[in-house]
Amino acid sequence: MTNTSTINAASTADRGPPAWTRWLDLGDRALAVVLLAPAAILLALIIVYPVLRLGYTSFFSLSLTSGLPAEFVGLENYSLMLDDPVFWETTWNTVLITLITVPGALLVGLALALLANLPFGVQWPVRLSLLIPWALPLSFAGLIFAWFFHSEYGVVNDVLMRLGFEGIIWFNSPNWAFAAICLTIIWKTSSFMALIILAGLQTIPRSLYEAADVDGAGRIRQFFEITLPLLKPSIVVALIFRTITALQTFDIPYMMTGGGPGTSTATLAMYIHQNTVSFLDLGYGSALAVVMFALSMCVTAVYLRAIRTKE
Amino acid sequence: MSAVAASGFSGLFSGRPLRLLAGAVLIVNGMFPALWILFTSLKTEAELTAKPITWIPHAPTFANYMQAFSDQPLHLFLFNSFMVALLSTCLTLFISVLAAYALARLNLRYRGLILSLIIAVSTFPLVTLLVPLFEIMRTLNLLNTWIALVLPYTVLSLPVCTLMLVSFFEGIPRDLENAAMIDGCTRMGALFKVVVPLCAPGVFTAGILAFVNAWDEFLLALSFNSNPSLRTLPVGIQLYQGEFAFPWPVISAALVVGIVPVAVLIVIFQERVVSGLTAGGIKG
Amino acid sequence: MNIRFMAAALAAASMLGSITPAFADTELKIFVSSQHQPDVWRKVLDKYEAANPGVKIAIETGGNTSEAQAQYLNTVMSAKDSNLDILMLDVIRPAQYAAAGWTSDFEGKDMSVYLPAYAEANTVDGKIVALPAFADAMFLYYRKDLLDKYGIAPPKTWEELAAATKKIADGEKNPELQGLSFQGKAIEGAVCTFLLPYWSQGKTLVENGKLTFDHDAAVNSLKLWKGFVDDGVAKKNIAEVATDDTRKEFQAGSAAFAVNWSYAWTHFQGAESAVAGKVGVTRLPALGGGEQASCLGGWEWGVSAYSTHQDEAKKLVEYLSGEDVSVFMAANGSLLPSYAGAYKNEEVLKAVPWFADALQVVETAKARPVTPRYNEVSEVIRTTVNAVLAGVTTPEDGASQIEARLKRILR
């Protein structure tokens, strides 16, 4: 990657007056508009317009089950949220899932990547093992792991009992259910982490380690002084993408526990879905969605910052 | 090989038995759930609810697969999933190649801002947009068509793919393009004849990402395409279970049928996916 | 495989064909819940098509649970989609559909022909929102062989039931045999679980849209179920058990009693059943000296307000909710009729003899709260029941939570 910038710089520097530059000068702006138009139209249609509608609706009392027409209520939906215990619980669950599964996936992913970077004679089974969890649809993963953690027929309890422990009724207790969900999410997401970190590992020049060997640095020091710092850019990007998707967690708890027992494993995305699709309280649901949007935007802002500082 | 083995972390695992152990850990972690579902799909319901549970099926049966195909039009689910994923992959690649080229090459004043907007706008959870999106699709008369899913799925993958391609394009020397244009290519011609082929690994990785994202999605597919002959796989799988039935072996069989195509795709292309990521694309 | 595949392809092709109808035909699209014999309904619709040339009817099925179907229909209807003409609705939904204006009224329809509970369930604010498709109720299934063996009469109270399970457990000494299986998972069935003993104490939950919550009755109800878990009458992981888990457990011979809907009977008598011929069915027990109460189920036919074929759709619904169809579906699909007379019909009794006893249960079953915001009410109750059974919340706290949250919803 380092030679890229020099080539770019060089090509900019000796950009003489060949015939094509005139075309470029004339067309740069217009061309940009043409090239970016498809993306802009699609995003406007699928995201911007619906988000604006959500924002607008969030200021109205609009519940389809009330039989009443929409009525402007200002910030009432937002103030309702403040003393809605389920809102706080689901938000807290979402934050907790993020705080547990993002570092969890990073650690597991790092370990998997380091293992996968070993010089195996046959590479494809290792790669396949990293790619399968990533390519498995979230809804499939939720179903499969719900079955894994089943108290009577699940393989997890079977293993526990074979090891002499007592089986756990996973979905009967908020803590165990939460643990099962987090484990599933970590399993599902760590392999993509691992792939990105593996990609980073393979770009680290071997000569750096050889030099460190000459200097007499131990393996552990090499890891912390060479591997980790050089991996930092890939890790940061992977972390931020993961954080944004963790805030949106829906499929896995939806499939595994449906939010139970009680509402102890429900996430904000599930609560929004429930308010809009099941309860048809579009005003309140929209306000919740706006809050979630704000949460995602905070993380996105951090992300954009990270990219900026890199440039 | 020995030079690699001596470097860094791998030095700890230079012994062959330890390396095999590492491989085993990786494979069990990655494959076990899929294998477990494969085993489950070969069991009868009676064996499934026997206690203690069995691991390897005692009397493997393919009846669940037959039933999976006869209870629901599973082949149609597969076909729909495949077509929707393929179409949205093509659309994603087309749109993000154009956008990435503009961002990588056109020295735009607001480059950073546009890039930020594309990313920011796409981080909005689609779950929360379900109802407005449904209304849009209805207005455009797109409900119960592949397009109703292709459009949002494209948005799902657009930011990641654009980011990857921007950094790939920046890695291609401008001189190559210039040379092509001097030879009489238009700018777009140069993009598709020179830049894209040179970035093939990156385009490829972006394509796989888009395909998997589209293959994954459940909620929109559930809501937009209710016509049985237009359902996608993740939605179709849900139809095997019900209030009054939860036939695990049949569901497992359907899951296996759903996992196999992607697994095959990955086995064929795994090297390219990993090398595409390695080439630095994903680093933004 | 090949022939199967071809058949499926042909079926799919005909499906595609039927959604692009010939010019003159009226194309009606009808939503049928997939757990209620769409293939048997198809036969009924075929007859209608044959008798009414020019009308083509396509069946559409959605998610497989009542909740999943509600979610799907909510999405479709809140977008005012005109795609569906006729909707099969769970008995708890007409009030919501009426409030949202999603169904068209059946003006001047004589509802007295149906069982009174269904005439009532489909009439909201004096308007007839939908017509009954079929009836249902919760029953107590019991192992006749075990009860005979220990000389126990079918229990009339929950206390008797608990004593009976203890006697059976002591005698059988089979750790795999549970006393009672019921629905503790946070699904619609858990709402009935809560309401059965609550109603038995003579209390109601909602009257005329107003909350009439009785805290003590709620505590008693939750205590009863939690006590069953603690005393080993029900198994420890009951909070994981959904409707069909109950069916499977009882069918496999691993429960002495089961609370379930009518569909379970056919399974219990089926070839795969370990308990065929050993099953009895009766009314659900009472709590202490209270009355025996069951939960009313069943599904209804509504005509979408957005349908562009209002008259044709209404005509079809009149046919589908007629007595002939009700008898046909009872005899061929084991769905309980919504007409009292049909329970004495020879054809029905030949196919499903136990329906003779079912009428009394259906007639005395109670309807779940009638409110447009039923989905929210249901959510509150079933998550709390689930939490209490899982031991996360005490029955007292659970009752208080239900009360507080219901007050918020029905304010």
Side-chain angles (χ1 to χ4, degrees):
Chain A
M1 285 273 96
T2 39
N3 52 348
T4 308
S5 49
T6 42
I7 290 170
N8 275 350
S11 70
T12 324
D14 42 309
R15 188 194 285 170
W20 57 267
T21 42
R22 211 160 19 120
W23 192 78
L24 179 102
D25 284 343
L26 277 178
D28 226 22
R29 268 219 157 124
L31 188 62
V33 171
V34 172
L35 294 183
L36 290 171
I41 292 171
L42 194 66
L43 291 177
L45 180 74
I46 303 294
I47 304 283
V48 178
Y49 172 73
V51 168
L52 291 178
R53 279 213 51 175
L54 273 187
Y56 178 78
T57 314
S58 76
F59 297 115
F60 284 82
S61 154
L62 174 56
S63 169
L64 297 182
T65 58
S66 70
L68 304 170
E71 184 196 344
F72 183 79
V73 292
L75 293 172
E76 195 190 295
N77 285 322
Y78 292 91
S79 64
L80 271 177
M81 223 180 277
L82 295 177
D83 59 21
D84 176 357
V86 185
F87 163 71
W88 289 110
E89 189 178 10
T90 51
T91 307
W92 171 239
N93 288 342
T94 308
V95 171
L96 208 58
I97 284 180
T98 309
L99 290 179
I100 293 172
T101 64
V102 174
L106 174 67
L107 289 179
V108 176
L110 187 61
L112 291 176
L114 290 171
L115 291 179
N117 200 32
L118 294 175
F120 291 106
V122 192
Q123 282 285 346
W124 70 264
V126 172
R127 288 191 181 140
L128 190 64
S129 313
L130 288 184
L131 289 164
I132 287 273
W134 164 63
L136 194 72
L138 281 169
S139 54
F140 288 18
L143 267 178
I144 294 174
F145 276 78
W147 188 235
F148 264 40
F149 286 108
H150 192 283
S151 62
E152 287 175 89
Y153 311 121
V155 68
V156 176
N157 272 358
D158 187 60
V159 170
L160 285 178
M161 286 192 276
R162 275 168 208 254
L163 293 177
F165 296 99
E166 245 188 72
I168 296 168
I169 305 177
W170 291 86
F171 301 129
N172 222 4
S173 117
N175 292 337
W176 285 122
F178 209 85
I181 286 172
C182 287
L183 281 173
T184 307
I185 295 176
I186 290 175
W187 176 81
K188 167 78 178 108
T189 53
S190 59
S191 52
F192 190 61
M193 278 297 195
L195 283 171
I196 293 177
I197 296 171
L198 182 63
L201 276 176
Q202 296 185 341
T203 58
I204 300 178
R206 210 163 292 155
S207 55
L208 287 179
Y209 293 108
E210 284 155 13
D213 274 341
V214 173
D215 292 348
R219 304 281 176 229
I220 294 175
R221 241 186 85 194
Q222 285 183 13
F223 176 73
F224 282 102
E225 286 179 9
I226 301 173
T227 315
L228 222 46
L230 285 173
L231 280 179
K232 210 180 130 203
S234 355
I235 289 179
V236 167
V237 173
L239 272 184
I240 292 162
F241 263 112
R242 185 69 271 283
T243 310
I244 292 170
T245 44
L247 288 174
Q248 304 175 2
T249 301
F250 179 85
D251 300 47
I252 285 183
Y254 184 79
M255 294 286 169
M256 285 177 76
T257 63
T263 44
S264 56
T265 57
T267 64
L268 189 53
M270 288 165 75
Y271 194 48
I272 294 171
H273 179 248
Q274 187 176 56
N275 268 285
T276 41
V277 175
S278 298
F279 301 165
L280 294 164
D281 195 340
L282 301 188
Y284 192 57
S286 302
L288 288 168
V290 169
V291 169
M292 185 156 170
F293 186 47
L295 260 175
S296 309
M297 282 313 267
C298 294
V299 180
T300 314
V302 176
Y303 175 47
L304 295 174
R305 244 214 150 115
I307 294 188
R308 285 264 170 74
T309 47
K310 241 186 84 195
E311 283 171 357
Chain B
M1 272 294 160
S2 59
V4 183
S7 68
F9 176 84
S10 45
L12 292 173
F13 281 85
S14 47
R16 195 180 149 78
L18 276 175
R19 211 156 62 219
L20 284 178
L21 180 73
V25 167
L26 281 169
I27 289 170
V28 168
N29 173 69
M31 308 277 204
F32 184 72
L35 276 181
W36 187 257
I37 285 306
L38 178 67
F39 289 159
T40 306
S41 73
L42 299 172
K43 293 177 187 172
T44 60
E45 190 153 278
E47 183 177 350
L48 198 69
T49 50
K51 283 189 247 182
I53 63 167
T54 59
W55 283 49
I56 311 287
H58 287 320
T61 165
F62 283 101
N64 297 316
Y65 287 87
M66 306 293 263
Q67 206 185 331
F69 275 95
S70 63
D71 279 6
Q72 301 282 345
L74 189 56
H75 57 285
L76 280 181
F77 300 160
L78 272 170
F79 180 61
N80 289 326
S81 266
F82 185 77
M83 288 309 291
V84 167
L86 190 69
L87 288 173
S88 83
T89 304
C90 295
L91 188 62
T92 309
L93 286 181
F94 181 70
I95 293 181
S96 51
V97 160
L98 294 185
Y101 184 79
L103 292 165
R105 277 293 193 265
L106 291 183
N107 302 321
L108 298 174
R109 252 175 87 191
Y110 302 110
R111 176 181 184 273
L113 185 70
I114 294 172
L115 211 53
S116 308
L117 272 178
I118 289 185
I119 297 161
V121 123
S122 313
T123 51
F124 198 88
L126 285 178
V127 173
T128 58
L129 299 180
L130 192 59
V131 174
L133 274 177
F134 189 94
E135 281 174 329
I136 291 174
M137 294 306 166
R138 182 180 52 95
T139 316
L140 298 177
N141 218 358
L142 289 176
L143 289 176
N144 284 317
T145 63
W146 288 336
I147 317 251
L149 300 180
V150 168
L151 294 181
Y153 292 178
T154 302
V155 170
L156 219 55
S157 310
L158 198 59
V160 162
C161 293
T162 308
L163 275 181
M164 280 185 74
L165 292 172
V166 166
S167 78
F168 265 96
F169 288 176
E170 281 174 344
I172 302 293
R174 286 192 189 223
D175 299 344
L176 289 171
E177 252 177 285
N178 299 350
M181 281 186 279
I182 291 165
D183 289 347
C185 261
T186 63
R187 194 143 197 192
M188 285 300 95
L191 168 60
F192 285 104
K193 282 185 194 147
V194 179
V195 181
V196 170
L198 278 174
C199 292
V203 174
F204 206 85
T205 313
I208 298 263
L209 279 175
F211 191 91
V212 169
N213 273 345
W215 188 264
D216 245 39
E217 207 280 336
F218 164 65
L219 199 63
L220 298 184
L222 174 72
S223 311
F224 294 171
N225 282 6
S226 49
N227 188 317
S229 55
L230 283 163
R231 285 197 175 112
T232 61
L233 205 59
V235 179
I237 298 258
Q238 302 301 313
L239 295 178
Y240 291 95
Q241 54 172 295
E243 195 128 35
F244 301 155
F246 206 95
W248 248 107
V250 182
I251 292 175
S252 299
L255 283 171
V256 171
V257 172
I259 295 170
V260 165
V262 176
V264 168
L265 201 72
I266 286 174
V267 172
I268 299 173
F269 296 122
Q270 40 100 9
E271 202 156 354
R272 287 191 164 197
V273 176
V274 177
S275 65
L277 290 170
T278 314
I282 197 67
K283 284 192 281 173
Chain C
M1 259 321 270
N2 256 332
I3 290 168
R4 205 182 279 277
F5 185 85
M6 296 267 289
L10 276 175
S14 65
M15 252 184 265
L16 278 170
S18 66
I19 56 169
T20 48
F23 210 138
D25 284 353
T26 303
E27 164 78 10
L28 292 176
K29 206 167 220 180
I30 179 164
F31 180 85
V32 177
S33 63
S34 43
Q35 71 267 38
H36 294 123
Q37 275 91 345
D39 43 332
V40 187
W41 286 109
R42 182 70 253 175
K43 290 182 197 161
V44 173
L45 294 174
D46 287 343
K47 278 192 210 166
Y48 186 82
E49 281 179 353
N52 294 271
V55 178
K56 286 270 167 286
I57 307 157
I59 286 189
E60 185 170 308
T61 56
N64 274 38
T65 62
S66 176
E67 296 97 274
Q69 280 145 15
Q71 284 183 10
Y72 167 61
L73 288 179
N74 280 350
T75 316
V76 173
M77 299 308 286
S78 56
K80 302 186 168 64
D81 191 37
S82 62
N83 183 40
L84 290 171
D85 298 288
I86 299 170
L87 319 165
M88 189 192 257
L89 304 172
D90 198 332
V91 67
I92 50 196
R93 315 222 182 269
Q96 177 205 324
Y97 276 68
W102 286 350
T103 43
S104 348
D105 303 340
F106 292 85
E107 277 170 47
K109 169 80 186 169
D110 175 19
M111 295 299 279
S112 63
V113 294
Y114 302 110
L115 288 166
Y118 291 96
E120 206 174 298
N122 288 304
T123 311
V124 180
D125 295 332
K127 287 181 184 147
I128 297 157
V129 181
L131 300 182
F134 58 90
D136 205 351
M138 275 197 161
F139 295 86
L140 180 71
Y141 295 96
Y142 59 90
R143 284 283 295 279
K144 222 165 34 187
D145 56 330
L146 289 176
L147 263 60
D148 290 347
K149 187 171 166 190
Y150 296 98
I152 307 167
K156 294 256 182 272
T157 67
W158 290 108
E159 291 80 0
E160 282 173 34
L161 185 140
T165 60
K166 201 159 172 29
K167 201 165 172 187
I168 293 170
D170 289 346
E172 292 293 302
K173 297 197 175 23
N174 174 2
E176 294 303 320
L177 182 73
Q178 3 164 359
L180 171 70
S181 180
F182 60 94
Q183 290 85 56
K185 201 172 175 173
I187 54 164
E188 188 54 45
V191 177
C192 289
T193 299
F194 170 75
L195 287 169
L196 295 171
Y198 180 89
W199 279 331
S200 179
Q201 300 166 70
K203 305 297 177 191
T204 57
L205 196 64
V206 176
E207 260 177 54
N208 301 322
K210 294 271 173 289
L211 188 66
T212 52
F213 189 83
D214 188 293
H215 186 83
D216 294 340
V219 173
N220 290 339
S221 165
L222 293 170
K223 263 190 181 155
L224 174 80
W225 297 116
K226 183 67 171 88
F228 281 175
V229 182
D230 294 340
D231 301 343
V233 171
K235 60 178 183 177
K236 287 265 174 284
N237 67 338
I238 195 77
E240 278 185 319
V241 173
T243 315
D244 204 48
D245 299 319
T246 297
R247 190 270 296 171
K248 275 189 204 147
E249 283 164 3
F250 190 84
Q251 183 176 325
S254 56
F257 294 94
V259 178
N260 211 331
W261 302 100
S262 64
Y263 84 98
W265 177 268
T266 320
H267 289 276
F268 295 158
Q269 302 303 342
E272 284 176 27
S273 172
V275 294
K278 301 176 189 164
V279 184
V281 58
T282 183
R283 296 180 66 184
L284 285 161
L287 188 67
E291 54 181 319
Q292 285 179 273
S294 177
C295 201
L296 186 78
W299 290 64
E300 325 302 315
W301 295 114
V303 170
S304 163
Y306 307 115
S307 163
T308 49
H309 307 287
Q310 291 290 331
D311 294 340
E312 294 92 334
K314 278 184 186 163
K315 198 177 149 207
L316 176 56
V317 166
E318 294 264 2
Y319 163 77
L320 288 174
S321 58
E323 189 158 3
D324 291 348
V325 172
S326 198
V327 165
F328 181 86
M329 290 308 294
N332 297 282
S334 305
L335 296 177
L336 288 166
S338 43
Y339 291 83
Y343 287 82
K344 298 179 188 83
N345 184 292
E346 259 176 56
E347 194 191 338
V348 172
L349 290 179
K350 214 175 114 197
V352 271
W354 77 283
F355 274 21
D357 305 324
L359 178 63
Q360 185 208 7
V361 179
V362 175
E363 273 182 326
T364 54
K366 287 179 185 290
R368 282 161 275 175
V370 177
T371 156
R373 301 185 70 174
Y374 180 77
N375 284 338
E376 286 157 273
V377 173
S378 160
E379 167 72 19
V380 167
I381 296 176
R382 60 185 138 107
T383 51
T384 312
V385 168
N386 178 254
V388 169
L389 291 174
V392 181
T393 311
T394 63
E396 286 80 6
D397 289 350
S400 305
Q401 279 168 23
I402 294 179
E403 184 167 19
R405 290 182 64 192
L406 288 185
K407 268 186 184 154
R408 210 181 136 101
I409 296 165
L410 300 170
R411 61 180 170 226

